[in-house]
Amino acid sequence: MESLLANFLAKYNYWAYIGLVMIGMYAMIAKRNLVKKIIGMNIVQTAVILFYVSIAAKKGKTIPIIAHGHEDTGHHAVQALDYISPLPHVLMLTAIVVSVATLGVALALAIKVYRQYGTLEEDEIAMRIEEQ
Amino acid sequence: MSAHFPGLVIIIPLVAAFLILIGALLDRRLAFPLTALALLGSLLTAIGLLGKVIQTGVVEYHLAGWAPPVGIAYRVDHLNALVLVAVATVAFVNLMGTRELVKGLFEDRLGPFYTLYILLIAGLQGIVVTGDAFNLYVLLEIAALTGYALVGMSEGRAPLSSLNYIFIGTVGASLYLLGVGYLYLVTGTLNMADLAVRLPALYPSKVVVSAFVICLVGLCIKMGFFPMHAWLPNAYSHAPDPVSSLVAPLVTKVMIYVMIRMMLFVFTPAFAFDQMAISEPMVWLAIAAIVAGSFMALSTRRLKRMLTYIIVAEVGYMVGGFWLGNRLGISGAILHIVNDAIMTLCVFLSAAAIISKVGSDAIDDMQGLFKKMPVTMGVFVVAGLSIIGVPPTCGFFSKWYLISGAVAAGQYGFMAALLLSSLINLVLFFRIFEIAYFEPFHDHHGDHGHFVSAVQEAPFEMLVTLVVTAVLLFALGIYAGDIVSQIIDHAIPVGIT
Amino acid sequence: MDTLISVKPLIAVLVSLLAIPLIGFSRSPNVREGWTFLAAVIKFALVASMLPAVLHGKEIICQVVEVLPGLSLAFRVDAFGMLFALVASFLWIITSAYSIGYMRGLDEHAQTRYFCFFAVSLSAAIGVAFSANLLTMYLFYEMLSLATYPLVTHHQDEEARTSGRKYLLYTVGASIGLVLPAMLVTYHFTGNLDFSPQGVLAGTASRGTVALLLFMFVFGFAKAAVMPLHSWLPAAMVAPTPVSALLHAVAVVKVGVFSIVRVITGIFGTDMLQAFDLSTPLLFVASTTILVGSFIALSQDNLKRMLAFSTIAQLSYIVLGAAMLSPKGVTGGMVHIAMHAFGKITLFFCAGAIFVATGKKNISEMTGIGRRMPVTMTAFFIGALSIIGMPPCGGFLSKWTLVLGALEADQIAILAVLLFSSLLNAAYFMPVVYRAFFCPPEDALFEARVQEAPLFCVVPLAITAVISLVLLVYPQPFMQLAVMSAAKVTGL
């Protein structure tokens, strides 16, 4: 029990992202409203982004900006260990753009659906389709 | 020039996308020729690349001159050169064939349509050539987003289907991204070749196992592999006809390519086939996909919907063939990627021609079509025969490899599923042929009609493309032996027997 | 074994395919039939031009393209293939003439389509005859199934549709469901599907596997109408009579038995089947088909249906001959392909001629028809004698050889089957002849005035009837070809 808790606390970032993915998935599966589903989808994407960002972190280290780099060169070399990894952040910049674009397309389609059926509730849309 | 081919296959369509958008603002009529030019360019580049790969082996290309693992590497070997040519061919042929249809459907939106069209191709070609796992994700999303938009462009149920497609597709892509994240976590690299070098030492790690499973599930969702296929029939059957004939042949096939790439060249066969021991369940899932897809196809009386269910079954062919894990099966899967791309293109294009004339996609409305559209129906028959697997069309030869692989692996269930699906395809297509041939019934005397007058064919350029695809089906069949021995044999790692 | 390399087999196969655009785009029916004739004559000439070489024991090979590793689309002309190709290509000429009389006589629709698909079917049949390996044979076999579909369903009505379904389901269904997997498994064992005199499968598989494969092939080639996969044949009789005549007495069904015999001799090899003692079950299946088919024929009133059941029974003679695995038996089976073809096509031609001239399809309505159509009914009599196996017709020769084969193989039961079946054949054919010629004048349904079918119908059937007679006295080159190939495949 003890170790489980310790395990949980030591890797809380993973549990957080797993929790977020679950929440997002739940929304996409269980909610009948299209906008809520879109929100769920976005939560899933964000959770993955957070996962990436969190794995870059190192305890007690700083952001990877080398201040006064040119003046210090003679004294001590730049130690990668002193900085958190910049690469996942860079990757996630792209992923954020992707998720925003996805959100945009999804919302645009939702508007189109709304114009057509006058509702965003899935069961009502299903009824409309039946009627046609 | 030829040194830049791997970059050009993406850069040409990407740059063209902007030009088309701007050009179409000036004059709408510019959109088509610009797209055609760009796609022709990328087709020629792809063919050039394939020739080069056959002659000299693997082509490496470092984007902007940065060497991997820092920079993004594009690596073209026999496998992706072949798939690349298939993608570029389908894109170009479909573009030529659907010009009139697109004009009719999207008269006022030609610029956006062709921009999306070419971006989709840029994404797909990028997925095929890239050697970087994260870059692949980005290109995957480019292809997917343009795909969603294209599917959602038409009226009716398309926007809703496209929205559902987004939900499921995003989950799939996110899972893939997550898997790649796990790999990055343990190896610190995203370059595929680099990953393949560093991973073997880490195979016992649970992180690698998780990454494998998550990636595979994500890709299975994206390729519409049973039981994660639910989005596919709606999205493909409700999409506008010129879009269906583009995405249906390409998107699932490219995803299968990604799976093969990841399994063979990132995780290596030793891990994927031997250590994970999921070949057996995957083959059984593929059997389920084939059987379920075939029966679902039987249960519908709408042409496009039936064809989409056939795609679900065909995905089962390829996934199952790959997971047989022997050379024959994998050859069959790769060959079928190419063959099925052309087959699906052919059958969807003729369906588009038929639907545009008949005005409905119910197969009961196809009466008398052999008289009305003899050329289109002729091509449709050829495509149907290829899907059934009648020699010498190409469908037979990939099926031959797949079944040989099944026999060699002792997977008689898979063999039975393939045969069953052939028989069901026979029923499916002859059901349509019967309606088009026999109805409306008429008395058989008197009517001298061998010089039919009431021909109402599809537009000329469509007919030409249809005939070209039909000829391609035969050509691919007759040269199947060469394709396998010259290209596919080199694409599969030597360790696999 | 001497071999010659030549593209002649390929051209012989393709010539009728190449004629299709010419047939299809002809401006007038006369030009169209002209092309058909020309293609048929060229085809026959090409086939015949290879005959001397084959009779000298040479084989003509032609490899087209290697489609799979170790597997090519390839042709090889040997004695057995030559036999079948000669019969099929010669009868195409005759049938073309007959078709003109029949189709114009009945004013049928879509004649261009009819002639086009006829040409495709002939290409496929010759393709099967000349195939060098199982893959090539399968290719042409499927092509034949599909090309004959529009011919079988020519009338495009409800009945044609039902029969067409049955036809496709049986022939294509069985070939995909049984032949294809059997072929792949064979390929898996041998890595080679070439037909060779003692088979390729020997020594690679156990008895159980061989037995399973054998029956997958025998039933899978459903065109041979081995029971229980026979019922497509009577159903396919909805086709116009020339189609029934050429395809369902010669090309299609013979392609079925040809394939079976080829597979038995070229893939399995007689020695292996003998060693595994698989001849008995095959003989049993074939004998059952012969007897049951003949019994059903007895009960038919529709003339074409009766002929169809008679065909089912006669086809199994050929399978029976091959299954005896003895030189005489195999010879008899092979030569029966030719004998039965000439006899049965005469009968079908007669049935068609009667239909054209009088519109009658049922035997019960043909009382006294012999007085009105003496030539036709005389030809019918000759054809019937040939099928029964009585002198002075060619059928006697093949049955005689089969009987000798049964004695040689020590199969007394088979001897009994052969003789009893001949009795049955007589029992269903002779009443027709009797009714036509010897009925009391007051019962006759027709006047005695001679009023034959069009000349284009009568001349072909007279020719085939005469050939049936001549074949007894001069059975060459068929007999020699059959003896040669039987000697080769049995190794004696």
Side-chain angles (χ1 to χ4, degrees), chain C residues 239-414:
Chain C
T241 304
V243 175
S244 310
L246 182 62
L247 300 183
H248 296 145
V250 186
V252 170
V253 292
K254 292 291 155 59
V255 158
V257 282
F258 179 86
S259 305
I260 290 180
V261 176
R262 254 291 196 253
V263 166
I264 288 178
T265 57
I267 296 289
F268 290 93
T270 47
D271 284 355
M272 183 178 67
L273 293 179
Q274 206 117 51
F276 284 148
D277 193 25
L278 286 170
S279 140
T280 317
L282 257 186
L283 287 173
F284 178 75
V285 170
S287 314
T288 313
T289 309
I290 292 175
L291 293 180
V292 177
S294 302
F295 272 118
I296 300 177
L298 268 179
S299 67
Q300 298 298 319
D301 186 34
N302 182 314
L303 182 58
K304 272 176 79 181
R305 276 183 74 83
M306 186 193 89
L307 293 177
F309 279 105
S310 158
T311 304
I312 293 172
Q314 296 293 321
L315 288 172
S316 278
Y317 274 70
I318 300 163
V319 179
L320 190 81
M324 286 179 199
L325 306 177
S326 65
K328 277 273 188 292
V330 176
T331 310
M334 285 177 173
V335 88
H336 197 58
I337 288 183
M339 301 307 173
H340 175 247
F342 282 100
K344 199 41 97 29
I345 204 168
T346 311
L347 293 172
F348 271 111
F349 281 168
C350 294
I354 295 170
F355 183 64
V356 171
T358 67
K360 301 283 187 251
K361 287 180 176 174
N362 291 334
I363 299 166
S364 52
E365 297 166 337
M366 292 177 190
T367 313
I369 199 167
R371 294 155 206 242
R372 176 165 160 182
M373 305 177 74
V375 181
T376 308
M377 289 319 288
T378 310
F380 189 93
F381 180 58
I382 295 170
L385 283 184
S386 185
I387 300 297
I388 298 166
M390 287 207 280
C393 294
F396 169 71
L397 205 60
S398 53
K399 293 226 170 145
W400 178 248
T401 322
L402 280 172
V403 167
L404 290 181
L407 290 172
E408 190 178 72
D410 247 355
Q411 299 274 10
I412 302 305
I414 297 306

Side-chain angles (χ1 to χ4, degrees), chain B residues 304-317:
Chain B
K304 266 173 85 181
R305 212 170 168 74
M306 181 193 103
L307 297 177
T308 58
Y309 285 125
I310 293 179
I311 294 179
V312 173
E314 302 272 345
V315 169
Y317 282 25

Side-chain angles (χ1 to χ4, degrees), chain B residues 247-411:
Chain B
V247 292
L250 290 184
V251 175
T252 50
K253 256 56 82 184
V254 169
M255 289 307 141
I256 290 163
Y257 157 78
V258 175
M259 179 188 78
I260 296 177
R261 167 70 59 193
M262 293 297 286
M263 295 305 134
L264 289 186
F265 297 96
V266 176
F267 287 108
T268 69
F271 183 73
F273 294 138
D274 303 337
Q275 195 182 328
M276 289 303 294
I278 58 164
S279 299
E280 191 84 3
M282 285 302 276
V283 172
W284 279 104
L285 269 180
I287 293 171
I290 295 170
V291 174
S294 302
F295 278 105
M296 287 187 294
L298 265 182
S299 71
T300 176
R301 291 195 79 82
R302 302 214 148 252
L303 179 59
K304 266 173 85 181
R305 212 170 168 74
M306 181 193 103
L307 297 177
T308 58
Y309 285 125
I310 293 179
I311 294 179
V312 173
E314 302 272 345
V315 169
Y317 282 25
M318 288 173 267
V319 175
F322 175 75
W323 285 101
L324 290 173
N326 54 28
R327 189 163 271 271
L328 284 167
I330 298 175
S331 300
I334 297 172
L335 186 62
H336 203 62
I337 289 180
V338 178
N339 291 349
D340 194 42
I342 308 291
M343 255 149 54
T344 317
L345 170 72
C346 189
V347 82
F348 268 90
L349 264 184
S350 31
I354 290 166
I355 292 167
S356 73
K357 274 284 172 275
V358 176
S360 138
D361 79 332
I363 59 176
D364 295 302
D365 290 340
M366 293 175 63
Q367 299 166 340
L369 267 186
F370 273 104
K371 274 237 155 105
K372 221 171 163 189
M373 310 177 77
V375 180
T376 311
M377 283 309 286
V379 172
F380 187 70
V381 169
V382 172
L385 294 184
S386 184
I387 290 176
I388 295 166
V390 177
T393 54
C394 61
F396 173 77
F397 293 96
S398 35
K399 210 165 269 183
W400 175 280
Y401 276 101
L402 291 170
I403 298 180
S404 305
V407 173
Q411 291 280 9

Side-chain angles (χ1 to χ4, degrees), chain B residues 385 388 390-392 396-397 400-401 403-404 407-408 412 415 419 422-423 426 430 434-435 437-439 441-442 444-451 477-478 480-482, chain C residues 26-27 32 65-69 71 106-109 112-113 135 138-139 142 146 149-150 153 155-158 161 165 168 172-173 176 180-181 183-184 187-188 193:
Chain B
L385 294 184
I388 295 166
V390 177
F396 173 77
F397 293 96
W400 175 280
Y401 276 101
I403 298 180
S404 305
V407 173
Y412 291 97
M415 176 173 103
L419 294 172
S422 297
L423 289 175
L426 180 75
F430 270 86
E434 271 187 355
I435 290 170
Y437 178 62
F438 289 104
E439 296 173 16
F441 293 119
H442 51 82
H444 52 273
H445 296 302
D447 172 16
H448 280 285
H450 49 271
F451 306 115
I478 289 167
D482 284 337
Chain C
S26 297
R27 283 267 154 244
R32 182 183 66 202
V65 56
E66 184 164 330
V67 284
L68 294 164
L71 264 187
L106 288 178
D107 207 7
E108 285 276 0
H109 76 298
T112 307
R113 183 183 73 205
L135 180 74
Y138 180 80
L139 187 156
E142 290 286 33
L146 297 167
Y149 177 75
T153 58
H155 293 323
Q156 284 175 272
D157 51 15
E158 276 292 355
R161 178 180 175 150
R165 264 188 204 169
L168 264 191
V172 182
I176 291 180
L180 182 60
M183 179 164 73
L184 276 150
Y187 183 59
H188 177 65
L193 290 176

Side-chain angles (χ1 to χ4, degrees), chain B residues 176-235:
Chain B
Y176 170 77
L177 181 62
L178 200 58
V180 171
Y182 274 50
L183 289 180
Y184 176 68
L185 198 60
V186 286
T187 61
T189 181
L190 290 168
N191 182 285
M192 288 181 181
D194 219 20
L195 276 170
V197 174
R198 294 192 196 186
L199 274 177
L202 299 162
Y203 280 158
S205 160
K206 278 183 190 145
V207 182
V208 178
V209 174
S210 317
F212 178 85
V213 173
I214 295 172
C215 263
L216 187 60
V217 172
L219 291 174
C220 285
I221 293 176
K222 291 288 286 185
M223 71 176 79
F225 183 51
F226 184 85
M228 289 162 281
H229 66 282
W231 57 272
L232 192 150
N234 275 335

Side-chain angles (χ1 to χ4, degrees), chain A residues 105-122:
Chain A
V105 176
L107 287 174
L109 284 168
I111 292 172
K112 218 174 161 187
V113 170
Y114 185 77
R115 284 206 188 123
Q116 197 169 358
Y117 300 105
T119 174
L120 284 173
E121 296 295 326
E122 271 196 331

